[in-house]
Amino acid sequence: MRLEHLRIEKFRCLPRLETGLPAGRILILGNNAQGKTSLLEAVFYLVTGRSFRTRYDNDCIPWHSPAGTVCAIRGKVRRASGDSCRLAITIGPGSKSVRVDDRPLDRLAALWGQLRAVLFTPDDLQLVKGAPGERRRYLDVALSQMSSDFLFHLQRYNQALRQRNALLKRPDMDRRQLRENLAPWESQLAEHGIPIVQARADFIAALEPRAARLYERIASGKTDEGHKPDAPGKMDESDESGKSDKPDKTSEPDDPSTSSTPSTPSTSSTPSTPSTSSTAPEALRLAYVNTLRLEMPAPAENARVRFRDLLSENLEDDLRRGQTSVGPHRDDFHLYLSGKTVRDFGSQGQVRSCVLALRLAEVIEMESRTGEPPLVLLDDLASELDPLRKKRVLSLLRPQWQTFLTTTRLEDFPDASSFDAVISLPV
């Protein structure tokens, strides 16, 4: 999957940009405030129909524009099968239109999956350091691009959650009336919440072995066998499919255990901390934490009953707070190095390496699940890494990935010949 052609009109500080885009690496070069991040933002609009920088579409209309100004983003996508589609988004004052092959979409959800992308920005450090909502959003954006079923469950769950929370703030109901009104929404929460928890836990289990290997390469430059990395853009067989031809259980995604961690990610409300390992002093481990205190996978009906029971048990507390205290909207996942949480004990270099390992593992997992790689969008990578780690990250970018990198200085990427195109801003 790649973006063959991109056209941007009146989007933030980009008055007009139109260009064909090759496969491979694309460098976006320009001074600060020239539109490098805005270009990535425009591409990501074609993926999700939303900005990753603001909640308000109107923010993307250039400042001091005449009344009625409309900005537009258009792209042509070429899939691995050879098929193509045209995507278009227009944003005007208080309005937004999304089209696929000139057909208007009445639901934004229909856009998801037409073009997939994995985005890294300097703000991604909040994936480790920030609130649990940042990590839930990371999981939900990735899974929604790969699975329309997941996106359906997520939307229905959020709708039911809003209804339950609204009822919790109704002082005019007695307990009997309240429970009667809550019952259908709590059934919806259980019906759609359990598939969300299961999908997230499965995704974390699949990411962990990939992210652990990638972190090792970024942080130390070693492969699984302890040698230097392969040539740029090439990874070993274990990274290619999530497995290794060697009989080493640590490389199998459906059994990501090692001698220092449980066989599956923790899913309790208080996860066990992975112990340290003398052979892997900085082994990266992930643990999904669900507020239902379920060990996943769990039988669906048992899990739904458990969810409804917890909602009933927590009703008095929820009434005092005016919000629902259990469910996937309160879940989290933790990152560990040497058995310690990266959020509390990781250095800045370790945090950056963990985030990049997560993002690159996401690319590989998305390619594995969908059969074609997503776009890779790397914003200001050079400023976030020291030269050695930057070189290691670049060596992990596969040739078949269409990768966009932004920079203010060409010297940050001395081997400019390794790029298939350079877009200089302003145009």
Side-chain angles (χ1 to χ4, degrees):
M1 174 178 284
R2 70 184 180 93
L3 190 60
E4 273 193 337
H5 191 269
L6 177 65
R7 180 177 176 180
I8 300 171
E9 296 177 357
K10 301 175 183 175
F11 183 85
R12 291 197 183 267
C13 61
L14 296 172
R16 180 181 173 88
L17 183 149
E18 184 168 6
T19 181
L21 297 167
R25 299 183 187 182
I26 300 165
L27 184 65
I28 304 168
L29 176 66
N31 293 327
N32 291 327
Q34 296 300 312
K36 301 183 300 300
T37 302
S38 296
L39 194 155
L40 297 188
E41 181 184 17
V43 172
F44 205 71
Y45 249 105
L46 296 176
V47 176
T48 65
R50 298 189 179 118
S51 168
F52 63 79
R53 302 167 75 185
T54 177
R55 295 175 57 188
Y56 306 104
D57 293 319
N58 282 0
D59 289 348
C60 298
I61 299 174
W63 292 356
H64 310 303
S65 296
T69 295
V70 174
C71 65
I73 310 161
R74 296 178 176 87
K76 183 179 179 181
V77 178
R78 179 71 61 181
R79 300 191 178 97
S81 63
D83 296 337
S84 66
C85 71
R86 297 184 308 278
L87 308 177
I89 295 177
T90 56
I91 301 169
S95 67
K96 178 166 64 179
S97 169
V98 181
R99 292 175 177 265
V100 176
D101 289 331
D102 298 324
R103 292 182 296 102
L105 302 182
D106 56 358
R107 296 180 306 109
L108 194 58
L111 177 66
W112 288 67
Q114 300 290 340
L115 176 65
R116 289 181 288 273
V118 172
L119 168 73
F120 168 82
T121 76
D123 290 340
D124 269 2
L125 297 186
Q126 295 303 308
L127 273 178
V128 175
K129 293 291 190 178
E134 299 290 337
R135 291 179 285 280
R136 290 193 297 268
R137 190 175 302 110
Y138 163 78
L139 297 174
D140 293 343
V141 170
L143 288 164
S144 294
Q145 291 188 64
M146 293 183 283
S147 170
S148 58
D149 286 343
F150 179 87
L151 181 56
F152 170 78
H153 287 302
L154 185 64
Q155 290 178 322
R156 290 299 179 92
Y157 179 86
N158 286 334
Q159 179 185 28
L161 182 63
R162 287 192 293 269
Q163 294 294 334
R164 186 179 191 270
N165 285 345
L167 286 170
L168 293 173
K169 298 170 184 175
R170 289 279 302 273
D172 56 319
M173 289 187 184
D174 60 33
R175 287 294 184 270
R176 182 185 63 80
Q177 288 178 308
L178 181 62
R179 288 185 182 277
E180 287 177 355
N181 281 275
L182 288 174
W185 299 116
E186 291 180 349
S187 293
Q188 289 287 301
L189 288 174
E191 182 69 26
H192 298 290
I194 296 306
I196 294 171
V197 174
Q198 183 64 68
R200 288 175 176 173
D202 289 346
F203 188 55
I204 287 294
L207 281 185
E208 186 187 53
R210 300 187 191 280
R213 284 191 297 272
L214 289 161
Y215 177 82
E216 179 72 7
R217 290 196 174 195
I218 294 168
S220 69
K222 294 181 180 179
T223 67
D224 294 337
E225 291 77 24
H227 301 300
K228 292 295 180 184
D230 298 318
K234 183 178 179 183
M235 301 176 76
D236 62 31
E237 290 302 313
S238 63
D239 284 323
E240 183 68 34
S241 63
K243 298 181 181 180
S244 170
D245 292 334
K246 296 179 173 58
D248 180 359
K249 290 188 69 176
T250 63
S251 64
E252 299 193 15
D254 50 357
D255 184 14
S257 62
T258 68
S259 59
S260 63
T261 60
S263 60
T264 58
S266 170
T267 56
S268 67
S269 59
T270 308
S272 57
T273 302
S275 60
T276 58
S277 167
S278 59
T279 58
E282 278 198 351
L284 175 63
R285 293 293 175 257
L286 311 177
Y288 185 75
V289 187
N290 74 76
T291 52
L292 304 179
R293 301 189 292 277
L294 285 169
E295 291 295 331
M296 305 301 290
E301 183 54 36
N302 292 353
R304 287 193 289 268
V305 170
R306 170 69 174 169
F307 197 170
R308 289 193 295 267
D309 287 347
L310 282 174
L311 290 171
S312 179
E313 291 173 14
N314 286 276
L315 178 57
E316 295 303 320
D317 284 343
D318 290 353
L319 284 168
R320 283 193 292 271
R321 297 173 180 173
Q323 59 184 357
T324 304
S325 58
V326 296
H329 64 289
R330 300 295 299 272
D331 290 356
D332 196 0
F333 73 89
H334 297 168
L335 297 88
Y336 296 93
L337 284 175
S338 303
K340 296 181 179 180
T341 55
V342 182
R343 179 180 182 179
D344 297 323
F345 297 98
S347 68
Q348 285 294 94
Q350 288 172 323
V351 169
R352 290 188 178 94
S353 296
C354 285
V355 169
L356 281 161
L358 272 180
R359 287 301 190 188
L360 294 177
E362 180 187 350
V363 176
I364 297 170
E365 182 63 18
M366 198 174 289
E367 181 177 7
S368 175
R369 294 191 183 198
T370 65
E372 54 187 352
L375 276 60
V376 182
L377 312 177
L378 303 175
D379 189 25
D380 209 13
L381 179 71
S383 71
E384 292 300 306
L385 298 173
D386 60 66
L388 187 56
R389 294 195 190 208
K390 180 185 67 179
K391 182 178 180 181
R392 291 167 183 165
V393 170
L394 292 175
S395 76
L396 296 172
L397 302 176
R398 299 181 182 178
Q400 71 266 31
W401 296 350
Q402 188 180 39
T403 304
F404 296 74
L405 300 99
T406 69
T407 187
T408 57
R409 306 185 320 142
L410 195 57
E411 308 88 79
D412 289 331
F413 299 95
D415 188 10
S417 62
S418 65
F419 289 94
D420 297 279
V422 177
I423 300 174
S424 296
L425 299 176
V427 293

